[in-house]
Amino acid sequence: MGEFDLIRRFFQRPAADGAEAGVDVGIGDDCAVLVPTPGARWLVSSDMLVEGRHFLSTVDPARLGHKALAVNLSDLAACGATPRGFTLALALPRADEAWLAGFSRGLLALADASGCPLIGGDTTQGPLNLCVTVFGEAPAGQALLRRGARVGDEIWVSGKLGDARLALEVFRGTVALDGLGLETVRAAMECPAPRLALGQALRGIATAAIDLSDGLLGDLGHILAASGVGARLDVDALPRSAVLAAQSPALQRECLLAGGDDYELVFTAPPGAVLPDVGVRLTRIGVIEAQPGLRVVDGRGAAVEHGLRSFDHFSA
């Protein structure tokens, strides 16, 4: 199977074209042609997934297809954007038809569910590497950014944290789980749910936002640095699954604070703000302070010494 046969068979779909989807021209030309919404601003983000660095060689290809797009859609969610399309650059060791069928099924199922058609990309032979670029829109002046947090704002997080990191520890052999517990944390690691509806609903409410990809300490730290503020974070308030809650306190804190791969939204909002109900749990986890830095405390307000830091591609 040649390169262009591969594209036609697994990735090209007539439904991806059409001005009603915001796309005039999709796969098959030198460039895609997108239709901007009057008064909107483009939001663009790219993420790369490399085998052995971001995912295991044993991952189900359908789940990998889902995650490849989900981690990018999570960036759009953090900015309150509506998806308009994405491109895929794909390096493959070989054209494995069964693998491609599963990968494209997972990828395109999430694309359909999110209203985000595949509009182009590239394929080549090489070590397994996936790079997705997403395009989204938000009304002018309404995109959520990292730099708007103000002293006194409350810090909120969506969903539950730490399960993806717990799954990684299972695969590393440092934790033993089986049955439903293992599937719960593995699904969190391999099938994150981008919080698109929440991000869009937070426009005009949240003062700053970010998605959790590298760990709460580091990602919240980006908001603090961009906004020129500090924060107090209550580690006991952090939402967690029953599976994680059954682990040792030290492991819980490591997964919650520095785990990464959560793809939940952390955002700040003024006290008393009416938060949207989009069917996603929201938990208050801290408050923005004037003093620089991030202070981690327990439920009694006592300082927590942790020695943890978030994921960094060049120091991990």
Side-chain angles (χ1 to χ4, degrees):
M1 180 172 50
E3 175 183 1
F4 299 105
D5 292 331
L6 182 157
I7 294 170
R8 281 190 293 269
R9 180 172 173 184
F10 296 105
F11 298 106
Q12 188 168 12
R13 299 189 300 170
D17 285 347
E20 72 281 355
V23 182
D24 263 354
V25 178
I27 295 173
D29 228 298
D30 283 0
C31 290
V33 180
L34 304 181
V35 183
T37 300
R41 296 292 184 266
W42 287 116
L43 290 88
V44 182
S45 181
S46 293
D47 267 303
M48 184 183 301
L49 298 182
V50 178
E51 184 180 33
R53 189 63 168 171
H54 300 99
F55 61 91
L56 303 173
S57 61
T58 55
V59 67
D60 179 270
R63 287 190 165 189
L64 181 58
H66 172 99
K67 186 170 184 177
L69 180 56
V71 301
N72 286 268
L73 290 175
S74 187
D75 286 331
L76 292 185
C79 291
T82 300
R84 291 297 181 225
F86 74 100
T87 61
L88 169 67
L90 177 62
L92 294 168
R94 61 189 182 280
D96 183 325
E97 296 187 22
W99 188 94
L100 282 162
F103 176 82
S104 62
R105 183 173 65 253
L107 178 84
L108 297 176
L110 181 58
D112 290 344
S114 305
C116 189
L118 177 60
I119 58 174
D122 192 22
T123 56
T124 190
Q125 187 173 26
L128 185 55
N129 186 311
L130 321 166
C131 185
V132 169
T133 298
V134 286
F135 302 84
E137 289 185 334
Q142 293 189 34
L144 304 178
L145 303 174
R146 301 176 180 181
R147 61 177 185 238
R150 298 186 292 262
V151 174
D153 282 352
E154 297 175 331
I155 305 169
W156 295 81
V157 69
S158 65
K160 300 174 184 176
L161 307 183
D163 277 355
R165 174 56 182 270
L166 184 57
L168 181 59
E169 295 305 319
V170 173
F171 289 120
R172 286 174 170 172
T174 64
V175 174
L177 291 177
D178 55 21
L180 182 59
L182 175 58
E183 180 51 34
T184 296
V185 300
R186 185 169 188 170
M189 180 184 187
E190 297 176 347
C191 299
R195 303 303 190 186
L196 289 164
L198 175 61
Q200 293 164 26
L202 286 171
R203 294 195 303 241
I205 299 173
T207 53
I210 192 170
D211 79 319
L212 291 178
S213 56
D214 296 329
L216 178 59
L217 291 176
D219 291 327
L220 178 56
H222 294 319
I223 286 182
L224 304 184
S227 300
V229 295
R232 183 176 72 252
L233 178 68
D234 181 355
V235 69
D236 290 339
L238 298 178
R240 66 206 75 183
S241 69
V243 180
L244 181 56
Q247 307 305 311
S248 71
L251 180 56
Q252 287 185 55
R253 288 181 178 178
E254 182 175 359
C255 293
L256 292 166
L257 293 172
D261 252 11
D262 293 305
Y263 299 104
E264 297 291 350
L265 298 189
V266 169
F267 63 94
T268 58
V274 179
L275 301 181
D277 182 0
V278 295
V280 176
R281 175 183 177 181
L282 301 177
T283 304
R284 182 187 183 278
I285 60 172
V287 64
I288 296 296
E289 300 179 328
Q291 181 179 349
L294 178 56
R295 295 194 302 120
V296 180
V297 300
D298 62 19
R300 302 184 307 274
V304 173
E305 301 298 328
H306 53 79
L308 299 169
R309 64 178 183 175
S310 291
F311 179 78
D312 184 303
H313 286 90
F314 293 99
S315 64

